[in-house]
Amino acid sequence: QKEVEQNSGPLSVPEGAIASLNCTYSDRGSQSFFWYRQYSGKSPELIMFIYSNGDKEDGRFTAQLNKASQYVSLLIRDSQPSDSATYLCAASGLYTGGFKTIFGAGTRLFVKA
Amino acid sequence: GAGVSQSPSNKVTEKGKDVELRCDPISGHTALYWYRQSLGQGLEFLIYFQGNSAPDKSGLPSDRFSAERTGGSVSTLTIQRTQQEDSAVYLCASSFGTFTEQYFGPGTRLTVT
């Protein structure tokens, strides 16, 4: 069973629309959560970091964390073609065996001009 | 300020040879992480250092892999007797604290022929 799950997509949205990306995690020991954007051939770029229940907004990005439902989401408002990339969800915590950061497989997003 | 740096950016080696990959974290970051990303795959957590504490090595794929961190700063990941399945991008990240934002370096692309 995967510990951090994402819909692999691809998710296709028109330019200017809201893109909604979802992620679930299985271990309640997860303490902090990340969204990264990764362009093909590049390293992951941090988009959002969240550790408290609720919403966190930064520019066009909003992360939502619901620990009761073990659910993290990322909303991208006014999507741009340059947002087309793979979005990685990750969770950090003290798990069996010690500290670890677990990444989901990623959701591919296409923003159509 | 300077980000995480990694060297070399690319490494081609013959099967059976040893390789060393280097990571220089962001100044002031006490935590350092190594990940592996195989072609088209997600990120695999390898090992984590916090300050000068001994790392948890349980995430390393085999005993051919080892890592050290000198003076709580620069880290080296060593792969002995490389195999073709070791071919991947090796990513390093650093953070201010254990559960805080992780920033990635550009990665080292390792190809074992």
Side-chain angles (χ1 to χ4, degrees):
Chain A
Q1 180 182 356
K2 290 184 179 179
E3 293 161 303
V4 175
E5 293 209 38
Q6 300 180 249
N7 188 323
S8 62
L11 173 66
S12 183
V13 300
E15 183 175 0
I18 295 174
S20 178
L21 305 166
N22 304 314
C23 173
T24 59
Y25 61 96
S26 60
D27 197 314
R28 291 191 179 275
S30 301
Q31 298 191 29
S32 55
F33 304 86
F34 312 85
W35 282 100
Y36 287 89
R37 177 172 64 192
Q38 188 173 31
Y39 294 112
S40 181
K42 300 296 186 182
S43 63
E45 172 193 7
L46 182 66
I47 298 297
M48 293 293 285
F49 164 69
I50 188 168
Y51 58 91
S52 296
N53 270 330
D55 295 358
K56 180 180 180 181
E57 184 175 323
D58 184 359
R60 296 186 296 112
F61 301 96
T62 299
Q64 298 173 318
L65 173 61
N66 183 324
K67 291 187 177 180
S69 301
Q70 297 178 237
Y71 176 92
V72 190
S73 67
L74 179 70
L75 297 177
I76 306 175
R77 290 180 298 280
D78 188 23
S79 296
Q80 301 297 309
S82 59
D83 294 326
S84 298
T86 296
Y87 288 79
L88 304 173
C89 173
S92 286
L94 286 173
Y95 305 115
T96 304
F99 173 84
K100 188 183 287 189
T101 300
I102 302 168
F103 277 78
T107 298
R108 293 181 66 191
L109 173 67
F110 290 104
V111 181
K112 299 174 293 183
Chain B
V4 178
S5 61
Q6 293 186 244
S7 62
S9 55
N10 280 284
K11 177 71 176 179
V12 180
T13 191
E14 292 181 352
K15 178 181 172 181
K17 301 285 189 182
D18 297 352
V19 295
E20 282 190 357
L21 312 179
R22 176 190 167 106
C23 173
D24 207 334
I26 293 171
S27 178
H29 280 191
T30 60
L32 185 149
Y33 315 78
W34 283 100
Y35 296 87
R36 178 170 69 174
Q37 188 171 33
S38 301
L39 187 63
Q41 302 298 310
L43 273 75
E44 176 188 6
F45 181 87
L46 298 180
I47 194 168
Y48 146 77
F49 294 89
Q50 173 56 266
N52 294 317
S53 301
D56 174 3
K57 301 180 181 180
S58 60
L60 295 175
S62 77
D63 58 9
R64 297 185 294 104
F65 287 71
S66 62
E68 63 177 20
R69 189 178 186 192
T70 54
S73 182
V74 172
S75 178
T76 302
L77 178 69
T78 301
I79 309 173
Q80 296 179 308
R81 305 181 303 281
T82 53
Q83 304 295 311
Q84 287 187 332
E85 60 263 28
D86 299 334
S87 296
V89 176
Y90 289 82
L91 291 158
C92 175
S94 71
S95 67
F96 187 71
T98 301
F99 293 101
T100 62
E101 299 95 320
Q102 296 180 29
Y103 296 93
F104 280 84
T108 294
R109 181 174 297 277
L110 175 66
T111 303
V112 181
T113 62

